[in-house]
Amino acid sequence: MSNRNNQQNKQAARERLRAERERQAKKDKTRRQLVVAGAIVVVLAIAGGVGYAVSNMSDDKDGGWAGDKAFVQPKNTTGEKGNEIVVGSPAAKETLTVFEDPRCPSCASFEQSAGPQLRQDVKDGRYKVRFVMVNFIDQMVPGTGSKNAVSALGAALNVGPDAFVEYKEALYSPKNHPDERDDAFADDKKLIEIAQQVPALKGNKDFEKNVTEGTYDKWAVEMGKLFGKDGINGTPTLLHGDKKILKDGSQQPPMDKDSFIAAIDKEFGPKKK
């Protein structure tokens, strides 16, 4: 074999080795990205107290989940495509907007700790609450549980605002709220089972029919499109007008009762005795 051929063979072998290394490097990079993405989801879920946040989320991609169902707006909603869910006395001068996702572990933590105080404030007429129920976790941790639970919440809202609030509280309760990696709320039977804990929904055949038939599926998808707009990229998010309500000294929402009371007092003034 000539030196020239020998050199050409060596060069070809080096090129093949380089190409193989590049292919392996790309595979390793992709694997690392997937691992990191998964770790972010898990860490945010475990953190609980810092809120569940994402960025650069696109509008909800329902993948045909709602099928060709007609758009039906639940009773007790207003606004474009029924995206205004306002609970509380019309006489209350202030409105607190709360963004939540049914599968969100941080939302469950917020509801379990600060939720009772929020509901008491609404009962006392301190402010109204506009609830915005979104479904971005269905994209982060693939599934349909968030959209399906929002649709069921629409069925509860159709019964009445109190039924909606109590059902949402039941969904977020420690005994009912699943790990966000568990798509339990995708099961209509599970949602109806939890509804039996709400007096207005217990044995309510109209509610159950609306859940099983997906009457408010299209509405749930439309609600989800509100996520990502106006800088809203995490749940729970609390707004007073365009201003985010944050825990004192942080860039996170007030997750526990004490920090929630302090943040609300700071924004609205101390609660009247």
Side-chain angles (χ1 to χ4, degrees):
M1 181 180 294
S2 69
N3 288 336
R4 182 178 179 183
N5 288 339
N6 189 43
Q7 289 297 323
Q8 288 177 337
N9 290 339
K10 288 181 178 180
Q11 181 64 28
R14 284 195 291 267
E15 287 297 322
R16 288 195 298 270
L17 181 59
R18 182 185 61 79
E20 178 59 30
R21 285 174 176 170
E22 288 181 353
R23 284 194 295 270
Q24 187 61 44
K26 288 179 180 179
K27 289 173 64 178
D28 290 344
K29 181 179 179 181
T30 300
R31 186 180 70 252
R32 287 194 300 270
Q33 288 173 334
L34 291 172
V35 169
V36 170
I40 289 172
V41 171
V42 173
V43 168
L44 287 171
I46 293 173
V50 299
Y52 203 122
V54 296
S55 60
N56 299 322
M57 293 293 293
S58 61
D59 283 347
D60 180 88
K61 306 297 183 185
D62 68 22
W65 171 77
D68 57 358
K69 296 185 180 76
F71 174 84
V72 180
Q73 180 175 328
K75 294 177 183 176
N76 305 300
T77 60
T78 58
E80 184 181 0
K81 295 188 176 180
N83 62 15
E84 297 276 348
I85 305 171
V86 180
V87 176
S89 171
K93 295 181 180 180
E94 305 292 349
T95 300
L96 180 68
T97 299
V98 180
F99 281 75
E100 295 179 313
D101 184 311
R103 292 174 70 185
C104 171
S106 294
C107 295
S109 296
F110 170 76
E111 285 286 344
Q112 292 165 23
S113 182
Q117 183 63 49
L118 181 151
R119 290 186 285 276
Q120 185 61 52
D121 285 351
V122 172
K123 184 177 180 180
D124 293 342
R126 191 177 188 190
Y127 48 78
K128 304 182 289 290
V129 177
R130 180 194 175 194
F131 289 106
V132 183
M133 305 305 301
V134 297
N135 49 55
F136 74 93
I137 293 181
D138 282 352
Q139 298 177 60
M140 292 289 291
V141 188
T144 59
S146 289
K147 290 187 286 287
N148 206 38
V150 174
S151 179
L153 282 163
L157 188 60
N158 197 65
V159 175
D162 289 342
F164 166 82
V165 171
E166 292 176 29
Y167 186 44
K168 186 165 70 71
E169 181 181 2
L171 290 173
Y172 282 125
S173 69
K175 68 177 180 179
N176 295 325
H177 196 262
D179 184 294
E180 84 282 7
R181 291 164 293 185
D182 177 2
D183 199 23
F185 290 163
D187 184 355
D188 291 342
K189 291 182 180 178
K190 179 67 174 178
L191 295 174
I192 291 172
E193 175 187 324
I194 295 173
Q196 304 314 299
Q197 300 165 27
V198 179
L201 303 180
K202 185 176 181 180
N204 188 317
K205 298 304 179 184
D206 287 338
F207 165 80
E208 294 177 9
K209 180 181 179 182
N210 285 330
V211 172
T212 56
E213 294 185 357
T215 302
Y216 304 108
D217 285 359
K218 285 284 190 182
W219 173 80
V221 170
E222 290 299 325
M223 285 291 292
K225 292 179 180 179
L226 297 177
F227 185 80
K229 295 183 178 180
D230 300 322
I232 305 303
N233 60 0
T235 56
T237 292
L238 280 62
L239 298 176
H240 180 216
D242 296 329
K243 180 182 177 182
K244 287 186 178 181
I245 305 297
L246 303 172
K247 182 177 180 179
D248 190 33
S250 82
Q251 292 300 307
Q252 301 297 334
M255 298 292 294
D256 61 272
K257 180 180 178 180
D258 290 342
S259 65
F260 176 77
I261 291 174
I264 292 298
D265 283 352
K266 182 178 180 180
E267 183 66 21
F268 297 129
K271 189 173 184 177
K272 295 180 180 179
K273 301 293 185 180

